[in-house]
Amino acid sequence: MNITDILVAAKDAEASDIHLVAGKPPTFRIHGVLEDMPGCEEKLMPLAVKELAYSILNEDQEKSFEKNKELDFSFGISGVGRYRVNVHVQRGTIGVSIRSLSTEIPDFSKLGLPEVVRSFTEYENGLILVTGPTGSGKSTTLASLIDKINKEKAHHIITVEDPIEYLHTHKRALVEQRELKADTESFSTALKYALRQDPDVILIGEMRDLETITAALTAAETGHLVFGTLHTNSAAKTIDRIIDVFPMDQQSQIRIQLSTSLRAVLAQQLVPSTDRKRKVACEIMVGTPAIGNLIRENKTYQIPSMIETGMRHGMISMDAFLEKLLKQGKITTQEFEKRSSVKKNKIDL
């Protein structure tokens, strides 16, 4: 068994993720559910996992992994696909987690997101955040939005990613993609220099720290359209997370900056559906003047109520979106109850 055999089997099974861990057969995540590789009962031995891992590492990557015991990278196999990989050590043995990356950027209409999200590409400046847990489709959503700008506007687009997932070709726009470690040392460093590279649009793969968030806010305030991601599950928590990164004596100023520069927050998750696949569910907050006032006045606890009453601006709460999926028969009552704060007996089915 070699890595290509495993990846071809994963492709045939429509698996989104592949896990290689000692003591188990190769394990696939298929429509959100973990299953052993079809037709394979043989458990991987530690040496076999190591050989599979090292078969996709180059010399520099081997040295980095052996030094740090962690490594993120991406690679591709002609005719098979592109992949994002994490190699790590667990219980003294190597483990490998592989995410399958689509070679084609999906059209926005196929994502299942509300039309208001499409309009995010029309902003000329400001900050747009796409949030959610790992594996919730954030990168796919952002790739689709960047591709729309690429097709329609003569802009200079710079992305900073860890690692690069979707490959963009130059269309009407000029697109430069930078990968952490391979092309730049950090998100904050890349952002600092991006402002000297005449960008119109900047995508930040992850806003992890104070320096990156500061640079993103500066870019958004100085006439650039900035897309970024965080691992938060609601608009209010996203705003709180950004503000809480800063020292107390800076938080008031950050609220003012956010209140004027934040254009929208899209919090999304993927929910197992009745057709045994997964549907996107999302919460959308649009940066209206009323939302800006709540941010500035440190009243983020009122944002959920504002979202519920903001339908005319395209806003929708996660509960309302899940309820819509339930009424359409796209998700089960069990999935709805796991993810919603609303009791099913309050819903008129």
Side-chain angles (χ1 to χ4, degrees):
M1 187 186 305
N2 61 42
I3 195 69
T4 301
D5 295 334
I6 294 171
L7 296 178
V8 168
K11 183 178 181 179
D12 292 342
E14 298 183 355
S16 61
D17 298 85
I18 303 99
H19 298 280
L20 308 177
V21 179
K24 279 276 291 179
T27 305
F28 297 167
R29 187 176 294 278
I30 303 172
H31 304 313
V33 179
L34 287 178
E35 301 179 15
D36 288 347
M37 176 176 163
C40 180
E41 298 180 359
E42 180 184 350
K43 295 179 179 178
L44 293 169
M45 295 293 103
L47 180 59
V49 178
K50 180 177 181 179
E51 290 175 347
L52 288 168
Y54 275 59
S55 72
I56 53 177
L57 299 179
N58 60 35
E59 186 176 342
D60 289 340
Q61 289 169 336
E62 285 183 21
K63 291 177 181 177
S64 177
F65 171 66
E66 289 169 0
K67 177 182 178 181
N68 301 309
K69 300 187 185 299
E70 308 274 1
L71 183 66
D72 288 323
F73 63 100
S74 59
F75 80 106
I77 298 178
S78 179
V80 181
R82 290 191 67 251
Y83 303 90
R84 183 182 74 194
V85 185
N86 173 270
V87 185
H88 53 275
V89 175
Q90 60 91 30
R91 293 173 61 180
T93 66
I94 291 175
V96 185
S97 295
I98 304 173
R99 166 67 54 85
S100 177
L101 305 176
S102 175
T103 54
E104 293 186 7
I105 300 169
D107 186 82
F108 178 85
S109 61
K110 297 180 181 179
L111 299 183
L113 292 166
E115 277 299 304
V116 68
V117 178
R118 189 195 297 266
S119 70
F120 293 173
T121 61
E122 300 304 316
Y123 289 111
E124 291 298 319
N125 56 59
L127 179 63
I128 294 171
L129 299 173
V130 178
T131 75
T134 300
S136 60
K138 299 187 297 296
S139 297
T140 300
T141 296
L142 286 169
S144 180
L145 293 175
I146 292 296
D147 188 55
K148 184 173 183 293
I149 297 172
N150 190 12
K151 291 175 180 176
E152 297 176 356
K153 298 186 178 183
H155 279 352
H156 183 194
I157 302 169
I158 296 175
T159 77
V160 188
E161 303 170 69
D162 181 26
I164 291 171
E165 296 192 22
Y166 291 91
L167 298 177
H168 294 273
T169 57
H170 307 301
K171 296 176 183 176
R172 192 172 178 201
L174 170 67
V175 186
E176 294 189 83
Q177 294 181 265
R178 308 190 70 198
E179 183 167 292
L180 221 62
K181 303 306 178 186
D183 303 314
T184 184
E185 283 303 308
S186 68
F187 285 112
S188 57
T189 300
L191 274 174
K192 173 185 174 183
Y193 289 103
L195 295 180
R196 303 176 187 176
Q197 295 161 10
D198 186 35
D200 298 290
V201 178
I202 302 171
L203 183 148
I204 309 164
E206 191 172 336
M207 292 170 60
R208 295 175 176 172
D209 51 50
L210 185 149
E211 291 78 14
T212 302
I213 293 171
T214 300
L217 287 171
T218 299
E221 285 189 314
T222 53
H224 306 87
L225 181 59
V226 180
F227 292 89
T229 73
L230 286 95
H231 291 288
T232 47
N233 58 17
S234 73
K237 288 181 180 177
T238 297
I239 294 164
D240 289 339
R241 173 73 62 83
I242 290 174
I243 293 169
D244 288 346
V245 165
F246 291 84
M248 287 293 295
D249 62 346
Q250 296 181 31
Q251 291 184 2
S252 178
Q253 178 60 36
I254 296 304
R255 289 190 193 96
I256 293 171
Q257 287 183 266
L258 265 181
S259 70
T260 58
S261 63
L262 186 61
R263 300 287 175 258
V265 177
L266 167 65
Q268 62 181 63
Q269 59 177 303
L270 293 177
V271 184
S273 57
T274 51
D275 61 2
R276 299 195 64 200
K277 295 185 179 181
R278 291 188 291 177
K279 299 293 183 186
V280 67
C282 66
E283 175 173 283
I284 298 171
M285 186 203 79
V286 178
T288 62
I291 290 288
N293 286 336
L294 293 181
I295 296 172
R296 188 164 47 251
E297 295 171 8
N298 194 21
K299 295 181 179 178
T300 52
Y301 59 88
Q302 293 184 14
I303 285 178
S305 297
M306 189 70 70
I307 290 173
E308 290 180 1
T309 59
M311 289 184 61
R312 68 184 184 279
H313 299 293
M315 295 194 234
I316 187 169
S317 69
M318 183 64 74
D319 283 344
F321 202 100
L322 289 166
E323 181 179 337
K324 182 175 72 171
L325 292 177
L326 179 63
K327 288 182 175 180
Q328 292 172 344
K330 294 181 179 179
I331 64 172
T332 64
T333 302
Q334 290 75 17
E335 289 297 336
F336 174 83
E337 290 183 331
K338 282 167 61 176
R339 290 169 166 79
S340 175
S341 61
V342 179
K343 300 297 182 183
K344 71 170 183 175
N345 57 11
K346 293 184 179 180
I347 298 175
D348 181 11
L349 296 176

